[in-house]
Every structure is written in C-alpha cells, then in structure tokens.
Amino acid sequence: MTPDEFRQAGYAVVDWIADYWATLDQRPVTSQDPPGAVAAGLPAGPPVHGEPVEAVLADLDTLVAPRLTHWQHPGFFGYFPANTSGPSVLGDLVSAGLGVQGMLWATGPACTELETVLLDWLAELLDLPTRFRSTGAGGGVIQDSASSATLVATLIAVHRAAGGRWRQVGVDRRYRVYASTEAHSSVEKAARIAGLGAEGVRLIEVDPVTRAMSPAALRAAIEADRAAGTVPALVVATVGTTSTTAVDPLPLIGPICAEHGVFLHVDAAYAGAAAVCPELRFGHAGLEYADSYCFDPHKWLLTGFDCDAFWVADAGELVEALTVLPEYLRNAATESGAVIDYRDWQVPLGRRFRALKLWFVLRWYGVEGLREHIRRGVALAARFADRVRADERFELVGPHPYALVCFRLRGPDGPNEQLLAAVNAAGPVYLTHTRVGGRHTLRLAVGSPQTRQSHVDEAWELISRAAAALPSGG
Ligand SMILES: *Cc1c(COP(=O)(O)O)cnc(C)c1O
C-alpha cells in the first residue's frame, strides 16, 4: 500500500468509523445471534489475491458490526464504561502509523519523555500525592491494564518482602497478599503468576452495607499470619470496587501497612477518573500511604483501551524488581542513568506509543472538558437513582458514590433475573448484574460519552414497564 493508496483507504475508514458513531443509537446494544454466526460467515482461508479496503468495509457492515456488543452506544450501561473518543482514535492512529517500539528511551526518546510528562500531568490533574511525580523518587507509566498494574505491584511487593533478594530466591510460598472479598479477580491472578499460589491471597471481610474492607479484619489477618511465620507482603486496597464501587478506607488501611512494612497498592481502575473533579476526590483520602496506585483512563476518561496509568512512589525499587539487561539492549543512554527505560516498568519488553492517544485526549478536551464528561455521568446516575428510590417496588443496593447504581426489585432473585433478561432483550439498553450479600442485583453504569438524559430516562421507563409486565407483577 503506497502512501497515496493509504490516504484514500484511510479516508474511507475514518468515514466508516464516523458513520458508525453517528448511527449507533439506531442499533440494538447487543447482538442476538447464536455463537458461531460470525465464524460461519467467514471464508475457510485467507484470499489468495489482495482485495481493496472497500471489500473489507463491506464485510464490517454485514458481518462484524451487527454482531457486536456496542460499548460506545448511548444505551450501554453494562460492566463499567470502556470509553473511546475521536481524539483517542486519532492519537492511536498516529501511534500505529509511527510504529515505534518504546521499550528503551533510546528506541524512541519522545515516546518515553511524552509518557513521563503526561503521567505527571495526570498526577496533577487527579491531585495525587507528590511522591508519585517523576520529579522526585516516583513516577508514572502506562500499562495495558489494571490487571498488569496489580501484577507489577505484586512483583515489587514480593521483592521488598524478600529484602530485595526476590530475584535470587524466586518462588516462595510464604508471602501473603491481602485484598477485600470485593477486590478484582486480577489480585488472585497476579499472586498465582508471581508464584505465591491462590492460597497466598487472604480475602478480608467487608462491611455488610458499604462493602468496604474492614481495617480491623485486615489487622487481625496480618498479625495472625506474622505469628504463623508467613510474610505479609502486599495489601491491595480498592477505590471503587468492580461490583458496587465500594471505597476501601485508605486512612485506616494505610497506617496498618506502614506499621507492618507491607506494600500498599491502590486499585482505582474505574473510579480514579472521577478525581479529575475536585468534589469527587473523597476516595483518595489517605492515598499518601500508598506505594503504588493505578486507574484506567480507558474506562471512564475518554481514552480507548488499552491505557492504564500506574504510579509508584519508589521507581528505583520497581526497576530493581523487574530489570534484566541482556547485552543486545545495552546502550549509552541507559548506562548514563539519565533516562527512563520503560521496559523495566512492565512485564513485556516491547511497548506501543500509547501516550499519544492520551495526549490527543487531554489537549482536545482540556481539564474542563474531562470534568464535564465525568460530572454528566455522575449527575445522570444520581437522576436514575432518584427514580429507583421513588418507586416502592425497587430498592437501591448500597451507596452510589460515582456513576454506577446498584438496585433490585424487593424480594427474591427470580424476578430480578427475569427483569434483567427482559430489559436487555428489548434492544435500546444493556445492563449487567452482580451479587451483593448473596442477592442478585442489577447494575446501571453511566459513562458512555454519547449518553444523555434521554437515554437514562428511557432506560428507567423500560425497566419500570418490564417490571410491571413480569409474571409476578413486579
Ligand atoms: C476493571 C477493573 C480492573 C481490571 O481492569 P483491566 O484494566 O481491564 O485489567 C481491576 N480492578 C478494578 C477495581 C476494576 O474495576
């Protein structure tokens, strides 16, 4: 493909994406086709001769787009949002076009330096503790996902618990990781990958109403493990749990970690984005105790997957835990000690120029634009919660500090399961569920950039009508 052919095909692809976004609300949010429908529509092998891009676009129209879950749809209220935006796509396009490998500073100096500066910008924007800035001992890096951030934090924590000798000792089953019963599954996965075994994870009980980690139970578990001869290495506290957006109390958890020399990682994958608004920073109280922190701009901050922002207070410790330097990567800049080589800050060696999409997003929206996006989501969620509260058939399940509302029909699980199925089958909206205290609970998460008041009101109307139409009468 020559540059001129690329130009022509590229315009067509950009047009295709713009048309997709402009007509999203005319589609059902999810596909109703059975498994195998897409595979059955594809030829058995690749084409022998090349085809024009138009042929691929035609297949996108007929084969792919109708059989997707449309995450950018204004009626998408499932899981958490996975935002993208025009500037994010354009930044990613530039990254793809440059095709730079940013593993070392020397393999693309701007790729590294832009990322360092943007993570400092973001730290400022979220008002994170100054210890995370690159101007001191700390610094930030873009990981692919919050799961990777948890894994890296686990590796640093174990390195620290081993007195800086983890590289020598390797797998050691004595180390313990603590997180609440509501913490993300990536905590257990990271412990397994780090060789601690699933039994190395202690799940700490939560408050039955707020679903936040009990500091007393955490202290008791750490003390019992120390008495038994095991080594408490890591606490993962969550700001905005995946199930219900519960906020673990950092001001109480932090001092326990400090007292016992335990590494504290704070996972704010979803809720961290809210801190761009000064009035939504409550979850970050006590963050000065944290050794590392992450949030996903790819969830609620208009930046396409993958973009997890991860900070550490001590970059030296991180590099010590992860670095392996083969001869073929040696270079003068690394040896000078004056540069960051981000390959040492993550599990893979290679890395894309992900800072570009973040840069495009920050510059297009500006701080005020990002705040407006977050505030709209929070306000629409509050409006929806008011509807639920005013209808005696329903109950809210726990608080809704951000833009996720958990709710259910009063009474048994069965009608709630039927309600969710009926609402999702209708087409215009999509919700998911969770279990809270053992009870089937519906989740409505606002956050798609296209979602407006009319979409949230429509969701409520649909839910209300579907509840009335249930065999049990709602
Ligand atoms: C979504 C989520 C994750 C996982 O996010 P990825 O970036 O997809 O790995 C981790 N922790 C919490 C609290 C989450 O909500």
Side-chain angles (χ1 to χ4, degrees):
M1 187 181 270
T2 65
D4 270 330
E5 287 169 333
F6 173 78
R7 202 185 308 279
Q8 288 310 314
Y11 292 154
V13 170
V14 169
D15 281 344
W16 189 90
I17 296 172
D19 289 342
Y20 172 75
W21 285 340
T23 55
L24 259 179
D25 61 351
Q26 297 162 27
R27 298 174 184 269
V29 185
T30 58
S31 160
Q32 305 299 330
D33 287 329
V38 179
L42 291 167
V48 175
H49 300 290
E51 297 177 63
V53 167
E54 284 70 25
V56 185
L57 290 180
D59 283 351
L60 284 181
D61 280 329
T62 55
L63 210 56
V64 175
R67 293 175 179 119
L68 284 175
T69 298
H70 300 287
W71 284 71
Q72 309 308 317
H73 194 292
F76 183 94
F77 300 112
Y79 308 101
F80 280 138
N83 286 177
T84 191
S85 65
S88 173
V89 169
L90 295 177
D92 235 356
L93 186 58
V94 176
S95 171
L98 295 176
V100 164
Q101 260 295 346
M103 54 198 175
L104 301 169
W105 176 89
T107 61
C111 180
T112 294
E113 292 188 22
L114 182 62
E115 186 162 328
T116 306
V117 170
L118 287 194
L119 272 282
D120 281 341
W121 282 13
L122 269 187
E124 170 101 35
L125 181 56
L126 269 62
D127 195 28
L128 300 182
T130 48
R131 62 205 299 245
F132 291 134
R133 312 282 166 94
S134 73
T135 43
V141 59
I142 300 176
Q143 303 281 342
D144 55 1
S145 68
S147 303
S148 292
T150 304
L151 175 57
V152 171
T154 303
L155 299 176
I156 312 170
V158 172
H159 177 70
R160 181 191 288 185
R165 292 190 58 259
W166 186 54
R167 284 200 267 160
Q168 283 75 30
V169 298
V171 172
D172 187 329
R173 288 293 176 88
R174 289 176 307 133
Y175 301 120
R176 293 292 175 266
V177 173
Y178 307 82
S180 90
T181 53
E182 299 282 315
H184 192 262
S185 53
S186 54
V187 177
E188 181 181 327
K189 201 188 250 186
R192 280 160 55 183
I193 295 169
L196 309 184
E199 70 277 16
V201 179
R202 295 272 186 271
L203 294 181
I204 306 299
E205 69 183 52
V206 296
D207 178 280
V209 175
T210 64
R211 317 302 299 173
M213 187 195 289
S214 155
L218 174 66
R219 175 182 290 282
I222 290 176
E223 288 174 355
D225 281 343
R226 293 191 74 159
T230 55
V231 183
L234 169 69
V235 170
V236 179
T238 311
V239 172
T241 56
T242 315
S243 180
T244 67
T245 63
V247 177
D248 290 342
L250 300 180
L252 302 175
I253 291 169
I256 299 171
C257 295
E259 184 185 328
H260 291 280
V262 180
F263 192 100
L264 174 60
H265 173 62
V266 175
D267 176 2
Y270 159 75
V276 302
C277 304
E279 75 277 16
L280 294 172
R281 290 183 184 146
F282 44 81
H284 285 173
L287 194 55
E288 61 278 6
Y289 290 105
D291 294 287
S292 62
Y293 168 87
C294 83
F295 88 103
D296 285 344
H298 70 227
K299 277 186 172 161
W300 195 13
L301 210 61
L302 298 167
T303 309
F305 191 86
D306 52 353
C307 187
D308 170 82
F310 174 65
W311 287 268
V312 291
D314 184 347
E317 188 180 35
L318 158 64
V319 171
E320 222 187 282
L322 294 192
T323 194
V324 182
L325 182 59
E327 181 57 35
Y328 47 82
L329 292 179
R330 284 187 191 278
N331 67 90
T334 297
E335 243 117 87
S336 77
V339 301
I340 290 176
D341 291 326
Y342 275 130
R343 71 184 187 97
D344 292 330
W345 294 51
Q346 61 178 21
V347 173
L349 169 65
R351 57 201 326 272
R352 310 192 298 120
F353 199 165
R354 281 179 297 222
L356 279 172
K357 60 186 168 191
L358 196 53
W359 198 36
F360 271 59
V361 165
L362 292 174
R363 294 185 64 175
W364 176 265
Y365 291 100
V367 172
E368 283 307 324
L370 297 175
R371 286 180 177 153
E372 199 183 304
H373 166 66
I374 296 291
R375 283 180 181 137
R376 182 167 58 234
V378 172
L380 290 179
R383 180 181 170 91
F384 179 82
D386 286 343
R387 298 284 185 281
V388 175
R389 206 178 280 113
D391 189 324
E392 62 190 17
R393 296 172 297 170
F394 288 89
E395 58 182 327
L396 287 172
V397 178
H400 51 93
Y402 302 105
L404 169 71
V405 181
C406 294
F407 66 102
R408 66 194 305 284
L409 286 165
R410 294 179 195 276
D413 285 349
N416 281 289
E417 288 166 19
Q418 292 163 15
L419 174 63
L420 182 63
V423 167
N424 285 343
V429 303
Y430 182 66
L431 280 68
T432 54
H433 79 282
T434 185
R435 253 175 212 287
V436 183
R439 298 189 312 167
H440 188 275
T441 300
L442 280 67
R443 296 168 78 266
L444 180 130
V446 186
S448 166
Q450 289 202 24
T451 302
R452 294 294 177 272
Q453 187 173 306
S454 58
H455 303 107
V456 173
D457 289 351
E458 182 185 16
W460 172 249
E461 293 304 324
L462 252 166
I463 291 164
S464 178
R465 266 185 279 125
L470 287 178
S472 56

